[in-house]
Amino acid sequence: IDLSVTWLGQTMPGCLYNASGVWCREEDELEALHASAAAAVITKSATLKPRDGNPEPRYCRTPLGSINSMGLPNRGFDYYLDYARRYRYGSGKPLFLSLSGLSLDDNCAMLRRLAEEGLPAVPEVNLSCPNVPGKPQLGYDFAATAEALEAFDAAYSGLYGVKLPPYFDPAHFAAMAEILNRHPRLAFVTCINSIGNGLVVDIDSEAVVIKPKDGLGGLGGDYVLPTALANVREFFRLLPGKDVVGCGGVKSGREAFMHILAGARAVQVGTCLYHEGPGAFSRIAGELAMLMRVKGYRSLDAFRGRLRTL
Ligand SMILES: O=C(O)c1[nH]c(=O)[nH]c(=O)c1I
């Protein structure tokens, strides 16, 4: 059973890696991911300068997943760039740098800095952080997204990707696809980020469970799987020649299989990784391989994007 994935001009040994933000803010976490069965590593979204993020409690596990309003806590771009300088690319595991600047200028400054370094690291620009008070999700502003992608193309001459928020309307899928398809070096989209601004209520305390934004936070886990699959399948159809990375609700080989069936080139794990740790990757990969064996598939190419309609 071959779980390898060939994209971005390289072949990685498997199809699973972390969702940005989970187990990837500190160097020791990144090293643990690299040492695990994860097939790639992506860093916590970076801002130009380090950030403490939102006040705690800012993360809460629930029976169906998680809610978070971290607020972009990170060590700052230079920390992750330094890690990228020392990363062992020879492992065959790609390194992605997630960038989430607080302004278009910041995103372009980080992209230009990365371009100057000439490292193999691939940028994934985050258009969808839902938790910085006063900063709406760029991905929900089509004009701003169009402008940003023009600027990214000017700032960075290599292949890059974007992390998209979930969309919920065919008109929005079409509008975003029309914008994304203008950019040949935009090689992949990662669908989806958390479903923004949910509210979890604790009936014992009769209170919300996280402090920022009076309890509003991004949802992950089981809550988001159908929405994640819809976004993967729609953008897989609408973005010919681009890759779609699936993210959302993956906790076993079953959901990984669903994402790939929907068209995902590779699959990210967030909430499940937060709680299980990097051991999740070997478990999920084993479950996926077993599922493929039972179904008679020897590689991901045998079923990627083959979701049947009725
Ligand atoms: O609050 C966060 O740090 C955060 N949380 C998310 O759920 N998605 C994001 O892209 C980010 I940047």
Side-chain angles (χ1 to χ4, degrees), residues 234-291:
E234 293 306 296
F235 283 116
F236 177 68
R237 285 174 162 178
L238 290 168
L239 303 176
K242 297 187 191 300
D243 286 310
V244 180
V245 176
C247 184
V250 178
K251 61 180 183 182
S252 79
R254 297 169 50 80
E255 298 80 27
F257 186 88
M258 295 174 198
H259 270 277
I260 297 164
L261 200 57
R265 174 67 64 188
V267 177
Q268 295 181 349
V269 183
T271 298
C272 170
L273 170 62
Y274 189 107
H275 297 288
E276 185 170 344
F281 294 112
S282 53
R283 174 182 61 81
I284 295 171
E287 292 164 350
L288 176 58
M290 177 69 74
L291 203 49

Side-chain angles (χ1 to χ4, degrees), residues 44-45 54 68-73 100 126 128-131 163 193-194 218:
K44 167 66 184 174
S45 289
N54 290 338
N68 91 83
S69 187
M70 308 303 286
L72 243 180
S100 192
N126 187 352
S128 42
C129 179
N131 299 324
K163 178 74 168 284
N193 207 316
S194 53

